[in-house]
Amino acid sequence: MSNEERSYPNKQVIVMRKDLNMRKGKMVAQGSHASMAAVLSRGDEIGGAICIPLDSDIGPWLQGRFAKVCVSVSSEAELQAVFEKGRASGLPCAIIKDSGFTEFHGVPTLTAAAIGPGPVEQVDAITGHLPLL
């Protein structure tokens, strides 16, 4: 077991498209949307509240350290492929499509994805080859 796995048994990886040349603030917002959406993807509405199960993916992350790593891809196709691998693995995942109102000339654009939270080894099997942002 690596030091990372001992310190952070579960983590989330946020995947950003570098080819879009987003402003820093826009990039941070899109990554934040992806992070939240992945966690909320496991939620259920019960009596007007969103309940997030503390399952083996999300529980250790929410109750421990919120380990996140930001990586990059160079195209929409790469972003979609990483997202599909994450979804197929059963991990919490989300992909974000920006409305295009402030950037991208009014064209809705896929900007970011989040894989996990989940066990470090499982998340790394999907995202470990991607360069840090």
Side-chain angles (χ1 to χ4, degrees), residues 32-46:
S32 297
H33 292 328
S35 177
M36 286 290 298
V39 172
L40 293 173
S41 73
R42 290 274 175 92
D44 289 312
E45 185 180 341
I46 300 173

Side-chain angles (χ1 to χ4, degrees), residues 83-98:
F83 170 72
E84 290 301 331
K85 279 177 105 174
R87 188 162 62 170
S89 77
L91 287 167
C93 295
I95 194 164
I96 300 302
K97 182 182 277 190
D98 183 73

Side-chain angles (χ1 to χ4, degrees), residues 106-133:
V107 177
T109 303
L110 293 176
T111 58
I115 309 300
V120 168
E121 289 178 357
Q122 191 177 358
V123 174
D124 283 350
I126 298 161
T127 62
H129 66 286
L130 298 173
L132 293 173
L133 185 62

Side-chain angles (χ1 to χ4, degrees), residues 2-121:
S2 72
N3 285 340
E4 180 182 28
E5 291 165 325
R6 267 190 235 87
S7 299
Y8 304 100
N10 286 37
K11 75 176 182 180
Q12 182 180 66
V13 173
I14 299 167
V15 185
M16 303 298 306
R17 282 184 58 191
K18 282 186 76 173
D19 62 307
L20 295 174
N21 296 315
M22 289 180 273
R23 292 174 291 117
K24 288 179 185 174
K26 181 70 165 184
M27 189 178 288
V28 169
Q30 296 301 295
S32 297
H33 292 328
S35 177
M36 286 290 298
V39 172
L40 293 173
S41 73
R42 290 274 175 92
D44 289 312
E45 185 180 341
I46 300 173
I50 296 175
C51 297
I52 306 295
L54 298 179
D55 60 21
S56 61
D57 292 328
I58 294 176
W61 190 73
L62 286 176
Q63 295 173 321
R65 294 179 169 167
F66 289 85
K68 292 183 187 83
V69 176
C70 295
V71 299
S72 66
V73 293
S74 298
S75 69
E76 180 178 305
E78 284 182 84
L79 184 70
Q80 287 180 303
V82 170
F83 170 72
E84 290 301 331
K85 279 177 105 174
R87 188 162 62 170
S89 77
L91 287 167
C93 295
I95 194 164
I96 300 302
K97 182 182 277 190
D98 183 73
S99 63
F101 294 136
T102 60
E103 291 190 26
F104 318 125
H105 310 290
V107 177
T109 303
L110 293 176
T111 58
I115 309 300
V120 168
E121 289 178 357

